[in-house]
Every structure is written in structure tokens, then in C-alpha cells.
Amino acid sequence: MVARTAFFSIIIIGDELLTGSKVESNSTFISAKLAEIGVDVKTIMTVGDDEKEIIDALGFCVTRSDGVIVSGGLGPTSDDKTKDAICKFVEVNMVEHKEILDDIKQRFSKRGVDMPEPNKEQAYQPEGAILFRNPVGTAYGFEVYKDEKPIIALPGVPAEMKAIMVESVIPSLKEKGFGLSDLHILDAKVVGLAESAVYDAVGPLREWAEKRESICLAYYPHFVDVTVRVKVRGEEEFAEKMFKEAKSILEDILGEKLYGYGEDGLEIVVGKLLRQYGMTISTAESCTGGLVSNRIVSVPGASD
Amino acid sequence: MVARTAFFSIIIIGDELLTGSKVESNSTFISAKLAEIGVDVKTIMTVGDDEKEIIDALGFCVTRSDGVIVSGGLGPTSDDKTKDAICKFVEVNMVEHKEILDDIKQRFSKRGVDMPEPNKEQAYQPEGAILFRNPVGTAYGFEVYKDEKPIIALPGVPAEMKAIMVESVIPSLKEKGFGLSDLHILDAKVVGLAESAVYDAVGPLREWAEKRESICLAYYPHFVDVTVRVKVRGEEEFAEKMFKEAKSILEDILGEKLYGYGEDGLEIVVGKLLRQYGMTISTAESCTGGLVSNRIVSVPGASD
């Protein structure tokens, strides 16, 4: 169990991310998930599909972090170098994992096709690695160790990376004591105020938090709203009590500008209210040019 | 003059970029601008507002690149550490630049307000630095040298970074011979095909390019379209001739799927056509839920 906050670094791999044609957001997702369990991020690096570059990045990150999460370059084609680079870095060999081969074969046969030859390569994984099954693709994630620090490799396809991160990596990190096991989070969602105005408005909450050693606040600006995060360390019961106090202060200050708690964004809350009251919504948009309706229908099931 | 392709690294600085609350896209813009003059990007790093972290990142990047571009942490407040870190790294002192102080004072007085005390600090810049005036803000950019390699610092506010990058940094890099001065670019914009389908479709263009040493191709997928970039090295006249050949091949293959050349995205081309023919557009969107109209009105002047 790490009593202090753990620091992780993130390495994103892919030539296409160095040409300015694509905004890289896998690291944003990984950072947000780590923040939720109280793991901080120290460095984010993006390098190309090149063995030496990856090894150098690993060297830089491992010496300054408690662990490293790598995403990208796990595909079955020869331009994917991540597995080889990590194996060299941690000095282990790649071995064929029979159970992975069977799993991949089965996935293809379920879709009524034979496994393409290049996918065979995906059964090769570092010897002794902890394997993370990919619920939405054929590239497994894995975890190996260097200087007793975990190096966790995930595919670069966002849906695959996200699934493995949520289903396997976060639970495994928590189990190993990397997160702050006594960390409890309350996300208050605020709309209609810019980040700086929210910061000013919640002065009384800040004063309340500053008096309590086990509580701290964070602010996350999004496109149309701002999340005020209340982080409490301690027993569940204590956290519940603190959250109740925080909610009461926030509701007094913000009134209707506080539109909800938890992970739900504004469009989800609006959709739930419409459904609850059996209402629908029409928009006639001028300046926003369809953006409001676009946000609302971006929620699965919104057209029901 | 660097005859080979120059490699730069990019360091993005800001605590708020490590918490997962914000997607970082300054590095994407910088990479794209460098690609346009033929400078490749080797590493992109994001670190917090911490002197030691910034110095370590600079050390890592300078040894493996021909130059480094840094963005963020140039504000007048005490949590901005970039200038101090760079000064330590290149071993120069910070000195007050009288002309910057006058410039900043004048900007505030034009708006009818006195310069706030913290902004005084912005007149302090590394001794001997080349200064880049900020056309839209008060934080100057600057360039210093380590081991004869340029380290260029830009503000983190996107509009300010972009303005200095386009107006000062790119021309200055070209002048110093970092770009490929004989590089010419043709961007062909394709809609209605996924990236892999575009790649397959333009096989004849690839064959044509492969026969010519001075020509290479690149593919940039965007949200609804794909850019096929034809890069030609040589005299202007030769490039024009090659572009004519490439256009003819592309038009044969792609027909109406090739909707234009140059920087204009699909919504701009659609807007221009509507204007040209005196037409307007109405959308009734189901699955897209306003996204089409939103894209179209995102172009300034679209409502005319």
C-alpha cells in the first residue's frame, strides 16, 4: 500500500500523432480515470512507432514515476513496435500464449471467418506478463515490471483502450494499493458560469474545505459547464457526512446553476428530465446552429 | 541550411493538462505547422508547472532533436515556471526589456486601464533572447539556444500561441533553413470514403509517386473527410507540373468525391458554393441531430 499519492506517466505511441493531423485524447481519458482513484499523472509523452524512441521514453518515465501506462502500437502489423520495445526494456522474451490464440480464433469463427494470418502474432506476449483481455478487440493488454514498477500496455484504439482501462487496469491498480483506497469523490456540475466565476462563487466551500485536512477541491472546465470536485479522504461514513455538508453549501450558493451531481453531463440530465415529465424538445437555433440539438441527441436513446 | 529533414520536439506545460479534464491540442497545431514546412516532430511531452519537470523534459528533448518548441507557463503569475526553467537550463539570466514594458503599458492604456502590477514581470525575458511580439496578448514568445539548438517558448493560450507561431516562428525557422525550402504541398480533400478506402483508391497515385524520388504522399483523416497530401521537393515550376499530373490522376480516380484542394474544409467549400449560386440550405436531421447545420454555420459569415 502506497500511503502517499502515486505518480504515473503515460506514453502514447503512433506515428500519426506526430504529424498534426489528429488530436490525441487517449491520455486525457487515462489521466481522468487515474485521477478518480487518486493517482496523479507526472508526464505524458507521445512518440512514434519506433523501438528506440519507445525504449527511451520508457527509460525517462520509469525513473520518475511509480508506474507507466502505454497506449498504442499493439496491432498485428509490422509497424507496431510497442511489444518488442517493452520486452527489450524489461528484458523478457515474447512467448506464445495458447489461450489467447484460442480466444482470437473463436472470435473470428463467431463472425464466420477464419482468423487472418497476421492475427496469430497477437498470441505472442511478454513472458510472465499479466494479461488483460480486450472485450472489444483482439489486441490484449498486458502488465510487466521494471524495477518493481508496473508497465501497463493498452491498445491505441480508443474503445479498446477505454474498455481495458475501466474493466481491468483500474481495479488491478486499486487492488495493488496504487490508488488512495480511502478517497471519496463528489462531482458537482455547474452551468451558466465560467470557470473563474465558479471559482469565485464557491469561496464559502473553499473556506469550509481549507479548515479540514482530509478534504480538497478541484475544478474541471468542460465545454458548457464546470465540475467542482470535492475529494474527501477517510471512512465512507465520514465522507458521506462531508458530502452532505458540501452539497448544502453548494446549493445555497449556486441555486439552479448547480444542475446535478455525479458523472452525468448537461445533455444527459436534460434528457432524463424530458423523459421523466414525458416531454420532448424542439430547437430553433441561430448562433448555435444546431449545436444544442446535436448535444441532446448525442446521448444514446435520446430520440425515443 | 539543414539538408536532411529537421526533427523538433514539443513540450506542453500546464498542471491542468495532467488531470484528464482537458484535451491538449496546442501540440497538434504546432506539429501541423511544422509539417507544412517539412520539419518532423519526434517527441511531444506534457509536464506540469514545475521547474525541475520542465528542465528534465528540456534535457530529454534537446539531446534528441534539432530544436524544441515549448508552450505554456508564460503568464505573469507565480505558478508559471517556464521562463525560470528555461533560463536555468540554458544558463542565462533574466533581464528587464524596457521596450516590452513600454509596449505592455501602452496596450493597457489603450484600453483605458493602468497596467496591473503582475504584468511588469512580463518585461523580464532571458538575456540575449530573440523576442517574438504577441499580437493578441501580453506574454511575449522568445527563442534562446542550448548546444546551438533553438528553444522557442510560446504562451499556452491557443490564440496567442497560434498567432506567434504563424507570424514569427515559422518564418524565422524557414529563414534559418530548418524547413525544406524546396518543399511544395498540394492538399487534395476527399469526402465519402474512410481513410483506408481512400488509401486503396489512390493506388495509381501511389504508383506514380513511387516512381519519383522527389515526391511523397501522406494521408490525414479528419472527422468527415480525408486529406491526401502530395509533397514535392524541387523548383517551383517542377512542382507545378507534378501537381498538375497528380490532380489529373486524382480527378480520374475520385470524381466528385474529390471536393477541393488546399486548406478549405468541407463546410467552407459548401458555403462558397451556396453563396456562388445564391442558394441557402435547410437541414432536417435525424441521426446527425443538428450536426450538419452546426458544421455549416461554424464558418464565419455563414448566416449571410
Side-chain angles (χ1 to χ4, degrees):
Chain A
M1 179 83 81
V2 188
R4 63 171 177 85
T5 302
F7 287 96
F8 269 56
S9 289
I10 300 170
I11 302 174
I12 304 294
I13 294 163
D15 287 341
E16 75 283 7
L17 299 166
L18 297 171
T19 59
S21 67
K22 228 181 207 172
V23 173
E24 187 284 301
S25 63
N26 277 5
S27 64
T28 317
F29 182 87
I30 295 169
S31 305
K33 286 295 150 198
L34 291 175
E36 281 173 12
I37 60 165
V39 171
D40 285 346
V41 173
K42 196 149 196 174
T43 316
I44 299 170
M45 290 182 78
T46 306
V47 298
D49 294 287
D50 177 281
E51 202 172 279
K52 186 182 173 309
E53 290 298 314
I54 299 170
I55 291 173
D56 287 354
L58 284 166
F60 184 83
C61 289
V62 164
T63 55
R64 60 188 47 239
S65 326
D66 300 308
V68 179
I69 296 181
V70 178
S71 168
L74 293 187
T77 62
S78 61
D79 19 300
D80 289 312
K81 314 283 188 200
T82 302
K83 268 194 293 192
D84 285 332
I86 294 178
C87 281
K88 277 206 182 154
F89 183 70
V90 302
E91 297 167 88
V92 301
N93 292 316
M94 209 105 85
V95 292
E96 191 181 34
H97 290 246
K98 185 78 178 47
E99 71 278 22
I100 299 184
L101 195 66
D102 292 341
D103 177 35
I104 299 177
K105 271 185 187 158
Q106 210 173 20
R107 286 176 189 226
F108 279 100
S109 82
K110 267 190 195 155
R111 288 156 46 192
V113 289
D114 285 340
M115 182 181 76
E117 195 60 26
N119 285 81
K120 258 193 188 169
E121 199 278 330
Q122 299 190 292
Y124 284 83
Q125 298 287 348
E127 197 167 0
I130 300 165
L131 298 173
F132 301 127
R133 189 171 187 270
N134 183 337
V136 289
T138 54
Y140 272 60
F142 64 83
E143 176 173 331
V144 292
Y145 283 79
K146 174 78 174 183
D147 304 338
E148 295 175 39
K149 293 173 180 176
I151 297 173
I152 295 163
L154 303 173
V157 178
E160 303 184 12
M161 176 280 292
K162 288 177 185 181
I164 303 177
M165 190 70 199
V166 171
E167 287 181 21
S168 304
V169 175
I170 291 294
S172 142
L173 288 178
K174 279 171 87 167
E175 206 179 288
K176 286 178 192 127
F178 278 107
L180 301 170
S181 59
D182 59 350
L183 179 72
H184 306 272
I185 284 177
L186 172 73
D187 282 342
K189 317 297 281 274
V190 186
V191 73
L193 290 175
E195 186 191 5
S196 57
V198 171
Y199 182 85
D200 290 345
V202 301
L205 186 75
R206 262 202 318 283
E207 277 169 39
W208 169 85
E210 273 157 19
K211 280 187 211 132
R212 289 159 178 81
E213 228 179 68
S214 54
I215 299 181
C216 71
L217 303 181
Y219 307 87
Y220 299 96
H222 313 293
F223 183 50
V224 292
D225 50 0
V226 177
T227 299
V228 178
R229 177 167 287 179
V230 182
K231 296 189 270 190
V232 176
R233 294 189 64 179
E235 299 286 325
E236 179 117 27
E237 205 181 326
F238 169 72
E240 288 306 325
K241 193 166 159 271
M242 290 303 106
F243 288 162
K244 216 172 145 187
E245 288 185 27
K247 282 179 175 179
S248 153
I249 297 171
L250 283 166
E251 284 157 25
D252 273 356
I253 300 168
L254 296 165
E256 287 192 339
K257 290 199 168 69
L258 178 74
Y259 72 82
Y261 296 104
E263 287 194 9
D264 289 356
L266 188 58
E267 53 273 52
I268 297 177
V269 172
V270 169
K272 280 185 182 165
L273 285 172
L274 288 171
R275 194 179 303 261
Q276 186 183 329
Y277 291 102
M279 293 168 79
T280 60
I281 197 167
S282 298
T283 67
E285 303 183 43
S286 175
C287 281
T288 49
L291 187 60
V292 173
S293 65
N294 183 248
R295 288 282 298 232
I296 290 170
V297 301
S298 69
V299 181
S303 310
D304 298 350
Chain B
M1 180 85 83
V2 188
R4 63 173 178 82
T5 302
F7 287 97
F8 269 55
S9 289
I10 299 170
I11 302 173
I12 303 294
I13 295 162
D15 287 341
E16 75 283 8
L17 299 165
L18 298 171
T19 59
S21 66
K22 230 183 206 171
V23 174
E24 187 285 300
S25 65
N26 277 4
S27 65
T28 317
F29 182 88
I30 296 169
S31 305
K33 286 294 148 197
L34 291 174
E36 280 173 12
I37 60 166
V39 171
D40 285 346
V41 171
K42 198 149 198 175
T43 316
I44 299 170
M45 290 182 77
T46 305
V47 297
D49 295 287
D50 177 282
E51 201 173 278
K52 186 181 175 309
E53 290 299 314
I54 299 170
I55 290 174
D56 287 354
L58 285 166
F60 184 82
C61 289
V62 163
T63 55
R64 59 188 47 238
S65 327
D66 300 308
V68 179
I69 296 181
V70 178
S71 168
L74 293 186
T77 61
S78 61
D79 22 300
D80 289 312
K81 313 282 188 201
T82 302
K83 268 195 293 190
D84 283 332
I86 294 178
C87 280
K88 276 205 184 155
F89 182 68
V90 302
E91 296 167 270
V92 300
N93 291 317
M94 208 104 87
V95 292
E96 190 182 33
H97 289 246
K98 186 78 177 45
E99 70 277 22
I100 300 184
L101 194 67
D102 291 343
D103 177 36
I104 298 177
K105 270 186 188 159
Q106 212 173 20
R107 288 178 187 223
F108 279 101
S109 81
K110 266 189 196 157
R111 288 156 46 191
V113 287
D114 286 339
M115 182 181 79
E117 196 59 26
N119 285 82
K120 258 194 189 171
E121 199 278 330
Q122 299 190 293
Y124 284 83
Q125 298 288 348
E127 196 166 2
I130 300 165
L131 298 173
F132 299 128
R133 189 172 187 270
N134 183 336
V136 288
T138 54
Y140 272 60
F142 65 83
E143 177 176 330
V144 292
Y145 283 79
K146 174 79 174 184
D147 305 337
E148 295 175 40
K149 294 172 179 177
I151 297 172
I152 295 163
L154 303 173
V157 178
E160 302 185 12
M161 176 281 290
K162 288 178 184 179
I164 303 178
M165 190 70 198
V166 171
E167 287 181 21
S168 303
V169 175
I170 291 294
S172 141
L173 288 177
K174 280 171 87 166
E175 206 180 287
K176 285 178 192 128
F178 278 107
L180 302 169
S181 58
D182 59 349
L183 177 72
H184 306 272
I185 283 176
L186 173 73
D187 282 342
K189 315 300 282 274
V190 186
V191 73
L193 290 174
E195 186 190 6
S196 58
V198 171
Y199 183 86
D200 289 345
V202 301
L205 185 76
R206 260 202 319 281
E207 278 169 37
W208 169 84
E210 274 158 16
K211 282 188 210 131
R212 288 160 179 83
E213 228 179 69
S214 53
I215 298 180
C216 72
L217 303 180
Y219 307 87
Y220 299 96
H222 312 292
F223 184 50
V224 292
D225 50 359
V226 178
T227 298
V228 179
R229 177 167 287 181
V230 183
K231 296 188 270 189
V232 177
R233 294 189 62 177
E235 299 285 324
E236 177 116 29
E237 207 181 325
F238 169 72
E240 287 306 324
K241 194 165 158 272
M242 290 303 104
F243 288 161
K244 219 173 142 184
E245 287 186 29
K247 281 179 175 179
S248 153
I249 297 170
L250 283 167
E251 283 156 26
D252 275 357
I253 301 168
L254 295 166
E256 287 191 339
K257 290 198 169 67
L258 177 73
Y259 73 82
Y261 295 104
E263 288 194 9
D264 288 357
L266 188 58
E267 53 273 51
I268 296 176
V269 172
V270 168
K272 280 184 182 165
L273 286 171
L274 289 171
R275 194 179 302 262
Q276 186 183 331
Y277 291 103
M279 293 168 79
T280 61
I281 198 168
S282 298
T283 67
E285 304 182 44
S286 174
C287 281
T288 48
L291 188 58
V292 173
S293 65
N294 182 247
R295 288 282 297 228
I296 290 169
V297 300
S298 70
V299 181
S303 310
D304 298 351

